[in-house]
Amino acid sequence: MSQSLVDDPAEAALGLARPLEAGPEPGPGRRVDVRRLLRFVMPRPGLLLSVVVLVLVVLASFWPDLFTSQDPLKGVPSQNFRGPSGSHWFGTDELGRDVFSRVVHGAQLSLQATLIAVLVAFVVGGLLGVVAGFVGRWVDDVLMRFVDVLLSIPALFMSLALVTALGYGTVKVAVAVGIASVAAFARVARSEVLRVRQAVFVEASRASGARWYSVLGRHVLPNAAGPVIVLATLDFGSSILAVSALSFLGYGAPPPAPEWGTLISDGRNYLANAWWLTALPGLAIAATVLATNRIARALDGEWSRQR
């Protein structure tokens, strides 16, 4: 009888037959995600160019030999102050060193400092914001007053004060820049935790007897992390500018380390006869910052609206 029910074409057409068992199909779902991503990026040439620029900078910071085989510290005095050409794309400096090679190898130092700065701001600021928003009461008041004091001090002045106290060096510059950005991350993290904490599913989880750490880890943090991650992407460009500014002032790695800010500082003395020493490293910094800002803007508004 059951076999006839399954095999009856009339009942099968009405949907009464037992469906055939089918396994999971993870492949098409992933392909759909890739197609969605391509449909989002391809109509936006500015975003596509920004992704390409950022990928090239990241590759240069980890594998500089992919772009140049020349030694950034070795110079040929007879070839000093050569303009941009096929053999030296960014020209040469006062010691005959290839500027393009120094910019490529300098990406490693500058991005290393930037990543440390963003990580410090993300971890410390996010922790302050989560504790203030989740615990509340007097803890929130004390932490937010401390954050207000940090916000009242300009970030560059605070970075200068901190790096003067900590000393010179790439890592110390990065820590100083990261601490100067803690307040912004704390404010965003706190506001998101307060928003999620009042959601219905969080109240239902608490009413069902869930522990506070379970509510925090399973509900609050995953739903509050999005805007903080977007802020980290946006702060990446600001941190590049801040790290380069401190390196320009001489607080970064000592010479002859080719940090981007140091390259601009060294080239400013030769603007009259060698404009490329300052202009081309500055163009690399500007392109990286604009690319990160464009990607952050896409993640913050355009991607969420399309979803």
Side-chain angles (χ1 to χ4, degrees):
M1 181 67 179
S2 60
Q3 182 67 26
S4 63
L5 287 176
V6 174
D7 296 335
D8 189 3
E11 292 183 356
L14 294 175
L16 299 177
R18 186 188 308 169
L20 297 176
E21 294 182 359
E25 298 180 356
R30 293 180 182 176
R31 289 197 296 269
V32 170
D33 291 339
V34 173
R35 287 199 296 267
R36 272 187 61 194
L37 183 61
L38 291 177
R39 284 199 303 267
F40 176 75
V41 174
M42 295 307 292
R44 298 170 171 84
L47 178 59
L48 181 61
L49 180 61
S50 300
V51 172
V52 172
V53 169
L54 192 58
V55 168
L56 291 177
V57 172
V58 172
L59 288 176
S61 63
F62 286 99
W63 300 284
D65 293 337
L66 292 175
F67 299 91
T68 178
S69 59
Q70 301 192 43
D71 189 350
L73 304 180
K74 182 179 179 180
V76 181
S78 61
Q79 296 184 4
N80 62 337
F81 293 123
R82 298 292 177 90
S85 62
S87 57
H88 301 284
W89 291 1
F90 285 8
T92 60
D93 61 5
E94 70 278 7
L95 299 178
R97 296 172 296 190
D98 184 68
V99 177
F100 178 74
S101 176
R102 290 176 64 76
V103 170
V104 170
H105 285 81
Q108 182 176 12
L109 292 173
S110 297
L111 287 192
Q112 175 188 355
T114 302
L115 289 174
I116 294 174
V118 174
L119 184 62
V120 169
F122 182 84
V123 173
V124 178
L127 183 62
L128 290 176
V130 168
V131 172
F134 192 76
V135 177
R137 298 188 297 273
W138 63 269
V139 177
D140 185 16
D141 294 336
V142 172
L143 291 179
M144 284 302 103
R145 297 299 76 76
F146 172 71
V147 169
D148 290 340
V149 172
L150 294 180
L151 286 174
S152 65
I153 305 173
L156 184 58
F157 290 166
M158 183 180 296
S159 300
L160 285 171
L162 290 173
V163 78
T164 302
L166 295 174
Y168 296 1
T170 302
V171 176
K172 295 176 181 178
V173 165
V175 172
V177 172
I179 294 176
S181 303
V182 162
F185 282 85
R187 298 282 294 194
V188 173
R190 174 182 177 270
S191 63
E192 289 301 310
V193 169
L194 288 176
R195 179 184 62 83
V196 175
R197 194 182 66 174
Q198 299 173 357
V200 176
F201 61 89
V202 174
E203 297 294 336
S205 179
R206 286 177 171 173
S208 64
R211 301 284 186 177
W212 66 268
Y213 51 83
S214 177
V215 175
L216 179 64
R218 296 182 59 184
H219 300 293
V220 176
L221 290 182
N223 289 281
V228 184
I229 294 175
V230 172
L231 178 61
T233 308
L234 188 60
D235 188 67
F236 192 84
S238 303
S239 297
I240 291 176
L241 290 177
V243 168
S244 300
L246 293 178
S247 299
F248 178 85
L249 296 175
Y251 292 100
E259 277 190 331
W260 283 352
T262 305
L263 293 179
I264 298 177
S265 178
D266 294 341
R268 61 179 174 169
N269 298 321
Y270 307 101
L271 283 174
N273 61 330
W275 56 269
W276 57 86
L277 297 181
T278 298
L280 297 182
L283 182 62
I285 295 175
T288 306
V289 172
L290 291 175
T292 54
N293 289 346
R294 179 66 183 91
I295 294 172
R297 189 163 54 113
L299 292 175
D300 187 24
E302 299 171 15
W303 176 254
S304 59
R305 285 196 300 268
Q306 179 167 310
R307 293 181 64 186

